[in-house]
Amino acid sequence: MSILPILRNASDRILEMDSITIRKPDDWHTHLRDGAMLEAVLPLTARAFRRAIVMPNLAPNPVVTTEDVIQYRERILKALPQNANFTPLMTYYLTDNSSAEEIAKGFTDGHATAVKMYPAGATTNSTHGVTNIQNVYKVFEAMQKVGMPILLHGESLKDLNGNVIDPYDREKVFLDTTLPKLRSDFPELKIVLEHATTKDAIQFVQDANSNFLGSTITIHHLVENKSVVEKSSAPQYHHCMPVIKSEENQKALREAVTSGSPHFFLGTDSAPHPTTSKEKDPPAAGIFSIPSALELYTQVFEEMGKLENLEAFTSLNGPRFYGLQPNDKMITLTKSPWTIASDVSVSNGDSIRPFGFDDDATKRLVINWKLS
Ligand code: NCD
Ligand code: ZN
């Protein structure tokens, strides 16, 4: 990492940087969708990220079989702009009926990088998800054997009596019940706790201190907290799963990602929905952050006084966990404030509202860093 420090206020001994050069980052959790939406989202992803773990929750038909994986990957490559240097890392969507053999072979043959498990009903397009974790134990055995990671939507929807759990408590219940059992039943299964949102999740991952457990953290859970969302004039654009938690939890996430710990890595969970779906009641869950995610992560590291740890989080910890090489190419971010000026148009007539955009220009989120 090379950095250009300027001494802005020598008497305060505050070192500020106006430029930072790091290896090109990867996004270890992203939603690209399909068709016209894919075409709109992909260039914005490839702009900042060299690779991305592509989530398989397509609607109406998720990416379940190896044939689905191969075809979806081809559609992504076809939608890539010329000259883009981007590699989609494909995932299977786990169902109660997934084939252990097919999935393990898809990994060893190089078609897919990981498997995503959604508890049925937990989030957008999760109706085909797993209803009982025992149903997929054969798949986990096969994955553990070949070293294929399982990516967990780490929330429990219902308690043992079948009562629906409050959205603010779902991650905690998952950490108290499902995750410890999974880790003890499959001690060498590589697990990613996706989009961790609570101090309990941070504690769990830090206590485990294991090469078999990593966690992605989204940009929106770092930038916002529950009271910011409640004060917003358009809370539907802040609605996602897991929901945005309290300031205390936000603080724990900000400390974890900037700490230099190898267990946390960048995963935007950027989840585009047409504005028409976000304006419905209830709104679709998912925040579209990809247009400014990398810049905003940089901003968080700057605010925490930890720019020196940015590259580990964005570009080194993820590849290390997945057993891949970090990217060779370098990118530079410079201090140059901007705001998002419009929704993103989709060729089918839809539009997608990016995180930080507001119709009222004075209310737009100021993004301090810009990717050169
Ligand atoms: C995601 C989506 O829209 O696909 N939504 C979300 O709120 N994060 C699904 C997911 O990752 O949970
Ligand atoms: Zn997601």
Side-chain angles (χ1 to χ4, degrees):
M1 181 173 71
S2 78
I3 43 187
L4 295 175
I6 13 164
L7 203 52
R8 273 250 299 249
N9 184 342
S11 59
D12 286 344
R13 308 184 68 145
I14 296 170
L15 276 177
E16 292 232 345
M17 304 174 203
D18 69 353
S19 165
I20 180 163
T21 297
I22 55 172
R23 282 175 193 260
K24 191 157 188 186
D26 304 301
D27 184 352
W28 298 99
H29 181 139
T30 210
H31 297 267
L32 296 178
R33 313 299 194 208
D34 214 344
M37 182 80 99
L38 167 65
E39 281 170 25
V41 168
L42 192 54
L44 297 164
T45 311
R47 171 194 79 95
F49 300 103
R50 173 66 185 83
R51 297 170 286 196
I53 286 277
V54 180
M55 287 295 145
N57 61 332
L58 300 183
N61 299 314
V63 181
V64 172
T65 65
T66 301
E67 198 47 41
D68 296 339
V69 167
I70 291 171
Q71 285 180 11
Y72 185 32
R73 183 168 179 277
E74 274 172 14
R75 295 198 297 280
I76 295 168
L77 294 178
K78 216 169 138 211
L80 259 181
Q82 268 188 346
N83 306 326
N85 192 8
F86 174 80
T87 304
L89 303 173
M90 307 307 293
T91 60
Y92 287 94
Y93 182 114
L94 193 58
T95 75
D96 286 342
N97 305 313
S98 288
S99 155
E101 243 170 51
E102 179 176 9
I103 285 179
K105 186 165 173 355
F107 176 75
T108 52
D109 287 351
H111 296 302
T113 303
V115 174
K116 180 68 190 279
M117 183 174 82
Y118 296 98
T123 184
T124 304
N125 304 340
S126 62
T127 42
H128 304 277
V130 173
T131 59
N132 180 340
I133 200 159
Q134 297 292 336
N135 294 343
V136 291
Y137 260 41
K138 284 227 161 62
V139 182
F140 291 155
E141 258 164 48
M143 291 171 68
Q144 177 170 251
K145 217 175 265 169
V146 296
M148 184 180 201
I150 180 77
L151 316 181
L152 301 177
H153 184 106
E155 292 194 293
S156 301
L157 206 59
K158 290 187 181 163
D159 66 17
L160 292 174
N161 303 321
N163 300 316
V164 172
I165 299 167
D166 185 285
Y168 290 94
D169 300 329
R170 287 178 191 172
E171 189 171 272
K172 176 80 170 98
V173 175
F174 187 86
L175 296 168
D176 287 343
T177 55
T178 311
L179 189 53
K181 172 140 174 57
L182 186 60
R183 282 187 34 81
S184 74
D185 290 347
F186 299 96
E188 301 211 334
L189 177 61
K190 278 196 192 181
I191 297 173
V192 182
L193 180 63
E194 296 292 336
H195 42 55
T197 63
T198 57
K199 65 178 194 312
D200 304 296
I202 298 302
Q203 194 68 49
F204 191 103
V205 173
Q206 274 166 347
D207 288 351
N209 191 22
S210 163
N211 289 334
F212 294 104
L213 182 65
S215 179
T216 54
I217 313 268
T218 79
I219 186 58
H220 43 280
H221 291 97
L222 291 172
V223 169
E224 300 200 318
N225 59 53
K226 188 167 176 268
S227 61
V228 174
V229 175
E230 281 167 356
K231 278 184 224 134
S232 160
S233 53
Q236 66 273 32
Y237 288 102
H238 305 260
H239 176 57
C240 60
M241 289 297 179
V243 293
I244 291 178
K245 305 296 196 302
S246 68
E247 189 174 355
E248 185 191 9
N249 287 298
Q250 179 197 18
K251 203 164 156 260
L253 302 180
R254 288 169 71 97
E255 271 160 18
V257 299
T258 57
S259 68
S261 159
H263 305 303
F264 301 102
F265 35 92
L266 188 160
T268 62
D269 193 16
S270 177
H273 290 276
T275 47
T276 45
S277 311
K278 294 298 283 180
E279 299 284 349
K280 271 194 224 149
D281 190 17
I287 293 180
F288 179 52
S289 62
I290 213 75
S292 66
L294 178 60
E295 290 85 342
L296 286 171
Y297 279 115
T298 308
Q299 191 157 325
V300 168
F301 277 73
E302 182 190 33
E303 286 164 3
M304 297 295 287
K306 288 287 173 68
L307 274 175
E308 69 273 18
N309 289 339
L310 177 68
E311 187 182 45
F313 177 74
T314 60
S315 319
L316 302 175
N317 297 346
R320 182 173 168 272
F321 178 87
Y322 277 89
L324 300 169
Q325 288 300 313
N327 299 316
D328 290 333
K329 195 173 168 265
M330 309 297 284
I331 54 131
T332 298
L333 292 130
T334 46
K335 208 64 170 296
S336 171
W338 60 292
T339 57
I340 291 185
S342 65
D343 287 337
V344 170
S345 306
V346 184
S347 67
N348 62 5
D350 284 338
S351 62
I352 326 165
R353 178 147 309 182
F355 183 64
F357 175 75
D358 198 296
D359 283 322
D360 178 347
T362 64
K363 289 191 183 154
R364 289 176 194 160
L365 180 65
V366 177
I367 303 154
N368 286 334
W369 292 83
K370 200 158 202 172
L371 182 59
S372 310

